[in-house]
Amino acid sequence: EVQLVESGGGLVQTGGSLRLSCAASGFTFDEYSIGWFRQAPGKEREGVSCIASSSGTTYYADSVKGRFTISSDNAKNTVYLQMDSLKPEDTAVYYCAAEDYYCSGLTIDYWGQGTPVTVSS
């Protein structure tokens, strides 16, 4: 069974840090790109970051460049999103997603259930 399980969300103050994890199973991990999306109340879902597990190529939304870092541990079939210098506008439910093969964000194959992140002022 294909599964993507997010963890690491929570409540943090402005300027703080969190590390999200996405543990994957049930598919060939290094043949997929793993991305992070987020959706805040009253807003549309937006892409945050993506990594191609085979090559390590990464992408970031302009709003998080310099603050967030995505990485992959292929031995553990896990992708991480290190979030530093958090702002209230980062508050959202964060979802990981798998796409075969590239980080287009347009043809998502699998979604996780999401982990909430709240950044207080």
Side-chain angles (χ1 to χ4, degrees):
E1 180 181 352
V2 172
Q3 284 191 304
L4 294 171
V5 180
E6 302 98 330
S7 62
L11 175 64
V12 66
Q13 290 183 316
T14 296
S17 297
L18 288 171
R19 189 173 77 157
L20 306 184
S21 299
C22 175
S25 61
F27 61 93
T28 306
F29 184 76
D30 63 1
E31 295 180 356
Y32 282 75
S33 297
I34 305 295
W36 289 94
F37 295 79
R38 66 187 182 187
Q39 188 164 25
K43 295 184 178 180
E44 295 182 348
R45 184 182 64 208
E46 63 175 335
V48 176
S49 186
C50 187
I51 185 167
S53 298
S54 58
S55 68
T57 302
T58 59
Y59 302 90
Y60 298 94
D62 287 343
S63 60
V64 306
K65 285 181 179 177
R67 299 189 298 120
F68 291 10
T69 304
I70 192 169
S71 61
S72 179
D73 185 342
N74 287 9
K76 296 181 178 180
N77 286 0
T78 299
V79 167
Y80 305 96
L81 185 68
Q82 178 68 41
M83 305 188 297
D84 298 320
S85 301
L86 283 162
K87 305 174 181 179
E89 50 263 46
D90 296 317
T91 296
V93 177
Y94 284 70
Y95 301 88
C96 67
E99 180 176 7
D100 182 18
Y101 177 82
Y102 303 104
C103 288
S104 76
L106 302 175
T107 54
I108 301 299
D109 295 294
Y110 310 114
W111 290 94
Q113 291 298 306
T115 186
V117 171
T118 301
V119 184
S120 62
S121 61

